[in-house]
Amino acid sequence: MKTLHKPTERVLLILETLSNDDGMTLSGLSLKTEISKSTIFPILKSLLHRKYISYDEKSGKYTLGISCAVLASSTFEKEYWLKMINAEMRKIVADCNEVCQMGVLDDSHVLYIDKVQSDQTVQLMSKIGTRLPAIHSALGKALLYQYSDKQIMELYPDGFKPLTAHSVGQLDYLRRQLNDVALKGYAVDDREINEDTVCFAVPLKQRDKILAAISVSMPYFRATEEKSKHIIELLINARAKIEHNLNNLHDINNY
């Protein structure tokens, strides 16, 4: 039998242990894995830095992080909810023939964890793992709309840095956009990330908790009023189906 690499085994054991629990303290992890606190702590620090785990200061517990969701998204059979959402995204793309993406909030950015491409000659070029400022993207606004002004400024202590001439630059303007998400049910990025791209997004909730968001992006020249309205309807209908399924599942870990 080949000798296994002990440091690697420890990392995998920690992740596997956390995957089977709602959250564990340093002491609990040490006890469960039989790894000393002095050995396990620097491993946790590295995993936190790479976002493979998260830490809740109030409870003192560690849970799996969003980087694990990115890995899981490449093997959908491991995660029913990702597979189910991907199926709805494919239906959207089949109908409107524009790219559909899913993202989660990563501090002040949106992390793209899934994508279904269209067959348009001119289309948005992006990839899973991309991170973009949440305040400028439709996905980000869909994820942030329940945040207070104070919470938003804590994410952006140095203020907003516009990416295009259309990007939001002030909190009061962003607040109006976020209020629109609450009122209309969808968020809009009108050339805020890219001068040539328009995007619409809806939040996905499980029992009123936002887990992720899905969006449809298209070139500005194809964003007619009729097509935009149709895409918004597709997104809202998909959200209803997804949330119905999510609410029939056990609580999903917070990625």
Side-chain angles (χ1 to χ4, degrees):
M1 179 178 178
K2 293 183 178 180
T3 301
L4 298 177
H5 188 244
K6 288 186 178 180
T8 304
E9 283 291 294
R10 293 190 187 107
V11 173
L12 295 175
L13 180 57
I14 290 168
L15 292 174
E16 289 170 357
T17 302
L18 287 176
S19 71
N20 293 314
D21 200 285
D22 291 332
M24 298 188 73
T25 63
L26 175 61
S27 297
L29 265 174
S30 178
L31 182 64
K32 190 71 176 285
T33 60
E34 298 182 351
I35 304 172
S36 68
K37 291 183 182 179
S38 60
T39 299
I40 204 172
F41 184 73
I43 298 175
L44 295 176
K45 188 174 181 180
S46 295
L47 290 172
L48 276 170
H49 178 70
R50 298 293 295 272
K51 300 187 183 299
Y52 282 97
I53 63 173
S54 299
Y55 178 69
D56 187 328
E57 293 184 359
K58 292 182 179 179
S59 66
K61 291 184 176 182
Y62 294 91
T63 57
L64 291 182
I66 54 176
S67 290
C68 287
V70 175
L71 293 181
S73 70
S74 64
T75 53
F76 289 118
E77 66 274 12
K78 293 183 180 178
E79 294 288 350
Y80 167 76
W81 72 279
L82 289 173
K83 185 175 181 180
M84 178 267 294
I85 294 172
N86 180 267
E88 292 300 325
M89 292 168 65
R90 290 183 181 279
K91 291 177 184 177
I92 290 173
V93 174
D95 190 305
C96 69
N97 199 23
E98 300 291 352
V99 62
C100 186
Q101 300 180 103
M102 176 165 61
V104 295
L105 198 61
D106 179 9
D107 295 326
S108 62
H109 288 72
V110 170
L111 175 66
Y112 289 76
I113 65 171
D114 194 18
K115 174 183 176 181
V116 177
Q117 194 64 278
S118 70
D119 60 11
Q120 295 276 13
T121 302
V122 178
Q123 58 184 307
L124 176 69
M125 298 305 297
S126 61
K127 60 182 180 180
I128 294 173
T130 296
R131 295 171 75 253
L132 293 173
I135 55 170
H136 299 318
S137 68
L139 281 171
K141 293 169 193 173
L143 293 163
L144 284 174
Y145 85 94
Q146 292 182 329
Y147 275 47
S148 66
D149 289 355
K150 180 181 178 181
Q151 289 174 309
I152 290 172
M153 293 315 299
E154 287 175 351
L155 292 176
Y156 301 92
D158 298 325
F160 303 161
K161 298 178 181 179
L163 298 180
T164 74
H166 303 280
S167 298
V168 61
Q170 299 295 329
L171 179 61
D172 58 346
Y173 182 58
L174 176 64
R175 175 49 57 192
R176 289 198 292 272
Q177 291 185 328
L178 298 183
N179 288 343
D180 278 345
V181 179
L183 180 65
K184 300 176 181 178
Y186 65 90
V188 182
D189 157 17
D190 185 359
R191 296 165 291 168
E192 294 184 53
I193 290 288
N194 185 306
E195 288 278 5
D196 302 314
T197 304
V198 174
C199 184
F200 301 97
V202 293
L204 303 177
K205 297 180 181 180
Q206 183 189 46
R207 301 179 182 90
D208 295 323
K209 181 179 181 181
I210 297 176
L211 299 176
I214 57 173
S215 68
V216 171
S217 299
M218 59 185 159
Y220 179 67
F221 71 86
R222 285 205 298 265
T224 63
E225 182 177 352
E226 181 180 2
K227 184 162 189 176
S228 297
K229 182 179 179 180
H230 180 59
I231 286 173
I232 291 168
E233 291 176 350
L234 289 175
L235 285 168
I236 290 175
N237 289 337
R239 180 186 65 193
K241 295 177 184 177
I242 292 167
E243 291 184 347
H244 174 77
N245 289 329
L246 288 175
N247 289 329
N248 287 324
L249 294 174
H250 294 297
D251 286 335
I252 294 171
N253 289 336
N254 179 16
Y255 287 98

